[in-house]
């Protein structure tokens, strides 16, 4: 009896829920479902036959009426419900179900946003360690290079050219410079925070930003072999990976 209302139901669900894969089932209960009618003649005939069987097998045994419940086809189909009343009931039930889904999404979405926010904080902290370590990496490289050159030139009478040393250090500093990557990463982080604060569905946009953030983190990691630098990059990648997993649950 609900088949003719399926299209209207689907249209209301699509309008309300916007995105996501949804399965809907509906059934009639109560007055709208109509009242099934007992076929009394068939029931009397069935009961009479049961009594005859009782008289044949156990004359003193009572025959409970509950046995008729096991007899098929004693109930006639319910009369058709009022089409307008049924259409109104379907609409109201669909709207109520969609509202319940939105409330569930709101609660789960807030928990998801809080979790993503914690990972964003962890990413920012790790990125800050990377940025603060860059200058130390260059200074450490200068000290190691000077020590190696001094060891090689010891006793040779050849003096180190300070300008040449600084030129080599400058080349390393240029190769290890991650300021652009960290700047783009910071911009992506701000966009993620903005998306998390918006009420509309932004799952695809969030997934795209996390892909870009992952690329920036990989580029940063390829620019230095310093152990502390590498540890901070690993923490960055771990935070982004956790966010990408959670982002699959965002519509």
């Amino acid at each position: 009896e609900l088949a003719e209302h399926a299209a209207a139901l689907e249209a209301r669900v699509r309008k309300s829920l916007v995105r996501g894969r949804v399965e809907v089932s509906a059934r009639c209960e109560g007055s709208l479902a109509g009242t099934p009618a007992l076929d009394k003649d068939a029931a009397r005939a069935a009961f009479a036959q049961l009594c005859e069987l009782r008289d044949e097998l156990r004359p003193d045994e009572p025959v409970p009426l509950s046995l008729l419940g096991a007899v098929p086809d004693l109930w006639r189909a319910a009369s058709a419900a009022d089409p307008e009343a049924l259409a109104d009931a379907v609409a109201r039930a669909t709207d109520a179900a969609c509202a319940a889904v939105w409330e569930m999404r709101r609660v789960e979405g807030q928990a998801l946003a809080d979790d993503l926010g914690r990972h964003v904080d962890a990413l920012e902290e790790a990125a800050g360690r990377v940025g603060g370590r860059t200058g130390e990496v260059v200074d450490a490289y200068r000290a190691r290079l000077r020590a190696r050159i001094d060891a090689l030139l010891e006793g040779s009478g050849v003096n180190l050219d300070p300008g040449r040393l600084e030129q080599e250090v400058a080349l390393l500093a240029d190769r290890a410079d991650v300021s652009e990557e960290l700047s783009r990463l910071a911009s992506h982080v701000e966009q993620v925070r903005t998306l998390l604060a918006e009420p509309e569905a932004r799952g695809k946009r969030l997934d795209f930003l996390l892909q870009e953030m992952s690329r920036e983190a990989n580029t940063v990691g390829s620019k230095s072999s310093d152990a502390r630098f590498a540890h901070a990059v690993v923490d960055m990648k771990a935070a982004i990976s956790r966010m990408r997993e959670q982002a699959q649950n965002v519509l």
Side-chain angles (χ1 to χ4, degrees), residues 4 23 27 75 81 96 109 141 144 147 158 162 171 179 201 235 243 250:
E4 63 183 283
E23 292 185 3
R27 64 181 181 273
W75 295 91
Y141 177 75
R144 289 197 306 271
V158 178
L171 289 173
S179 58
D235 290 341
M243 283 191 285
V250 179

Side-chain angles (χ1 to χ4, degrees), residues 195-224:
L195 291 180
L196 294 180
E198 292 183 355
E200 293 83 6
R202 290 290 185 269
K204 290 185 177 180
R205 175 68 175 167
L206 179 61
D207 186 59
F208 171 76
L209 283 172
L210 291 172
Q211 290 182 39
E212 293 301 308
M213 291 164 72
S214 182
R215 292 191 186 96
E216 300 297 347
N218 288 333
T219 302
V220 170
S222 68
K223 288 194 171 184
S224 178

Side-chain angles (χ1 to χ4, degrees), residues 5-35:
H5 302 283
L9 185 153
E10 180 179 348
R12 298 184 83 88
V13 171
R14 288 186 181 278
K15 182 179 179 180
S16 176
L17 300 185
V18 184
R19 289 190 61 203
R21 182 178 183 276
V22 179
E23 292 185 3
V24 181
S25 62
R27 64 181 181 273
C28 277
E29 293 180 350
S31 59
L32 281 177
T35 304

Side-chain angles (χ1 to χ4, degrees), residues 109-144:
Q110 186 58 57
L112 187 58
D114 292 342
D115 186 62
L116 286 168
R118 288 189 290 270
H119 294 318
V120 170
D121 292 340
L123 172 61
E124 281 191 315
E125 188 276 333
R129 283 188 280 132
V130 169
R133 182 63 181 162
T134 302
E136 298 177 9
V137 169
V138 174
D139 292 340
Y141 177 75
R142 179 186 288 107
R144 289 197 306 271

